[in-house]
Amino acid sequence: EAHIETVIEKNGVPWQIDMHLKKNSPKGIAINKMPIRKASELFGIVNLVFFSPEDLNIIKNGPAERRRFIDLQLDKVYLNNLSNYNRIVNQRNHLLKELSFGGKKDLSDTLEIWELQMVQYGERLIARRKEFVEQINGIIAKIHQRLTGGKESLKIIYEPSTGDLPFEQALNRYRERDLRMKSTTVGPHRDDIGFLIGDMDIRKYGSQGQQRTAALSLKLSEIELVKLATHDTPILLLDDVLSELDKHRQNYLLDSIHDIQTLITCTGVEDFVNHRFSINKVFHVQNGQVTKEN
């Protein structure tokens, strides 16, 4: 059993956060002594940007990670549409399986009903994602040029799985394929974002250095996006990222975040000594024991 209590500042106002953790029991969270019943109620209370070594692979990994990056940036309305869309996709997939195993003919009549709802929510997701890509392009291009010394220009493009077809037309065109595959093969749940340096798709043809630089630009852009959306500077969590970056990228990252409240886990504080970094507290973790440095 554990009780964690902390105070953060949001726009200059202190917020008290209490967490109760019990083995084999639900977790409990309270904000200013008021219990939180739903995870959705926590949305927007504390603005965080989390950066881990895994994020450096977002460019070369699969589309699911890139879609997740977009989904985590957007608002409650978008997330509600996403939740409804995913629920309907699951219903449609279940129906496709029923039909493939010789389900009743009247079941096929309900397929169009699910598709109408899919289009309703799916088109909202696609439109909002395209807005996001346009917005982040206005931020990431400058960051990436500074990070590469002006040698590279990075552009992000949205890649709908429907190609040039409107979502509704694509669903109709690929319905027979979906019945054979027993799965919905087009829609926002299959979309991707591409990363171009010039005409080169660095997901496929970029070097590891280019992919990691683009990922770093993406995460630094996330900080600026949060600032624009909330008019507040987010808290930055760096989980042993510096060990995965070369010296140039380390320096750029540290110079970019020197005025941001940052919590860092690392294997040594030596990386921060030569930077304009104000280190308030240092904790050492060894053999599961945490001690504060005097």
Side-chain angles (χ1 to χ4, degrees):
E1 181 177 346
H3 174 230
I4 301 171
E5 180 178 316
T6 187
V7 176
I8 66 164
E9 280 197 6
K10 184 179 180 182
N11 294 326
V13 178
W15 291 61
Q16 180 177 328
I17 301 177
D18 295 281
M19 296 182 64
H20 297 273
L21 308 175
K22 283 187 178 181
K23 189 176 182 181
N24 302 323
S25 297
K27 300 177 181 66
I29 301 176
I31 306 296
N32 291 340
K33 304 297 184 180
M34 296 294 292
I36 299 295
R37 305 300 181 189
K38 299 179 181 178
S40 59
E41 294 177 18
L42 291 168
F43 190 90
I45 290 178
V46 182
N47 297 301
L48 301 172
V49 173
F50 177 66
F51 194 4
S52 72
E54 288 74 21
D55 291 318
L56 292 169
N57 296 319
I58 192 173
I59 309 299
K60 68 178 181 181
N61 284 356
E65 285 197 33
R66 292 185 284 275
R67 287 194 300 270
R68 183 174 180 271
F69 173 81
I70 293 180
D71 294 342
L72 290 174
Q73 310 306 314
L74 300 179
D75 54 32
K76 285 184 178 180
V77 174
Y78 173 88
L79 292 177
N80 183 60
N81 287 329
L82 180 64
S83 176
N84 286 323
Y85 174 82
N86 288 335
R87 175 179 54 81
I88 295 165
V89 170
N90 289 335
Q91 293 281 4
R92 185 177 188 266
N93 288 344
H94 179 74
L95 181 57
L96 290 171
K97 292 173 184 175
E98 289 278 323
L99 292 171
S100 71
F101 290 118
K104 295 179 181 179
K105 184 180 182 302
D106 58 352
L107 284 177
S108 62
D109 297 333
T110 65
L111 194 60
E112 185 174 344
I113 297 173
W114 290 118
E115 289 174 354
L116 287 172
Q117 293 183 66
M118 273 188 66
V119 170
Q120 175 188 353
Y121 290 110
E123 286 182 341
R124 294 174 187 172
L125 297 180
I126 293 169
R128 186 66 185 90
R129 286 176 177 180
K130 287 181 176 179
E131 287 178 7
F132 170 79
V133 168
E134 183 177 349
Q135 181 185 26
I136 199 172
N137 267 321
I139 298 171
I140 199 170
K142 296 176 183 177
I143 291 175
H144 195 77
Q145 283 192 331
R146 289 198 298 266
L147 188 51
T148 61
K151 296 177 181 177
E152 293 180 353
S153 179
L154 180 67
K155 182 179 180 180
I156 299 177
I157 57 172
Y158 189 67
E159 298 180 341
S161 57
T162 58
D164 295 329
L165 289 176
F167 187 20
E168 186 173 8
Q169 288 184 29
L171 275 177
N172 292 333
R173 172 174 291 189
Y174 297 113
R175 185 179 293 157
E176 291 301 319
R177 182 179 70 182
D178 288 356
L179 284 165
R180 292 195 306 272
M181 301 291 291
K182 309 180 188 62
S183 180
T184 304
T185 58
V186 292
H189 63 294
R190 294 294 185 97
D191 293 355
D192 198 358
I193 52 175
F195 294 81
L196 302 180
I197 294 178
D199 295 327
M200 182 178 66
D201 184 347
I202 63 171
R203 293 172 303 180
K204 301 175 183 177
Y205 307 111
S207 66
Q208 178 170 293
Q210 286 176 315
Q211 290 173 343
R212 291 195 163 196
T213 303
L216 180 55
S217 298
L218 193 64
K219 296 302 292 187
L220 292 172
S221 299
E222 185 178 351
I223 296 172
E224 297 304 315
L225 286 168
V226 173
K227 287 181 179 179
L228 287 172
T230 66
H231 306 291
D232 192 17
T233 301
I235 298 170
L236 181 61
L237 308 181
L238 291 183
D239 181 18
D240 201 24
V241 172
L242 295 184
S243 62
E244 302 292 327
L245 298 172
D246 61 28
K247 188 59 68 175
H248 171 68
R249 294 183 182 90
Q250 285 182 10
N251 291 338
Y252 186 88
L253 173 59
L254 294 175
D255 287 340
S256 300
I257 64 173
H258 68 89
D259 58 348
I260 299 175
Q261 182 180 352
T262 307
L263 305 179
I264 301 170
T265 61
C266 60
T267 54
V269 295
E270 297 82 9
D271 296 323
F272 309 101
V273 171
N274 297 322
H275 287 83
R276 296 174 294 162
F277 227 80
S278 176
I279 302 176
N280 302 104
K281 296 180 182 179
V282 177
F283 298 86
H284 294 275
V285 182
Q286 188 170 5
N287 298 326
Q289 298 295 316
V290 181
T291 57
K292 181 179 176 182
E293 184 178 285
N294 295 323

